[in-house]
Amino acid sequence: MLSCQNTVLIIDAKYYSRTTQEQYGVHTLHSNNMYQIFTYVKNKDTEFADKPHTVSGMLLYARTDETIQPDQSYQMSGNRIDVKTLDLNQEFAVIAEQLNQITEDFFGAELR
């Protein structure tokens, strides 16, 4: 979990040989993973009570050799839930840049 004052990003990292499921030729996200991160986010959301805050969540998948790689953002009951793919088959400096970009996207200049 990353946090900056009252802005929180909960990251749930996953690795599956297939990051999406396919039924009748349609690829979808694993719904149980979405429900799980949504539950984490909503539970954290309630901890703030009436204080100004932002709680977001992210499913972070390791990149596979699949054609479809998740990279989407959703609004679920007032919270942002992202699904991203991280390419771990890179030099660490490139992986670090991918992670820094995620941090920048969520927290902007707050962490500097």
Side-chain angles (χ1 to χ4, degrees), residues 52-67:
H53 67 281
T54 302
V55 179
S56 302
M58 176 182 289
L59 287 173
L60 186 59
Y61 290 99
R63 183 175 180 84
T64 64
D65 60 358
E66 291 181 282
T67 304

Side-chain angles (χ1 to χ4, degrees), residues 30-45:
H30 295 275
S31 58
N32 55 334
N33 295 343
M34 289 294 284
Y35 289 127
Q36 185 178 37
I37 191 68
F38 179 70
T39 300
Y40 296 156
V41 167
K42 292 315 272 185
N43 285 336
K44 188 65 175 176
D45 208 22

Side-chain angles (χ1 to χ4, degrees), residues 56-94:
S56 302
M58 176 182 289
L59 287 173
L60 186 59
Y61 290 99
R63 183 175 180 84
T64 64
D65 60 358
E66 291 181 282
T67 304
I68 297 173
Q69 299 295 323
D71 186 14
Q72 298 164 316
S73 184
Y74 304 92
Q75 285 293 323
M76 298 175 67
S77 295
N79 298 91
R80 178 178 166 182
I81 306 289
D82 282 31
V83 181
K84 298 240 181 250
T85 303
L86 184 66
D87 189 351
L88 299 174
N89 195 20
Q90 304 284 327
E91 294 291 326
F92 184 75
V94 177

Side-chain angles (χ1 to χ4, degrees), residues 3-53:
S3 178
C4 187
Q5 295 180 347
N6 291 344
T7 302
V8 176
L9 172 61
I10 299 171
I11 299 174
D12 189 1
K14 304 281 189 192
Y15 175 79
Y16 295 102
S17 58
R18 301 186 54 85
T19 54
T20 61
Q21 56 192 7
E22 182 180 358
Q23 187 172 17
Y24 304 112
V26 176
H27 290 267
T28 59
L29 299 170
H30 295 275
S31 58
N32 55 334
N33 295 343
M34 289 294 284
Y35 289 127
Q36 185 178 37
I37 191 68
F38 179 70
T39 300
Y40 296 156
V41 167
K42 292 315 272 185
N43 285 336
K44 188 65 175 176
D45 208 22
T46 60
E47 289 180 23
F48 283 98
D50 293 334
K51 297 178 190 172
H53 67 281

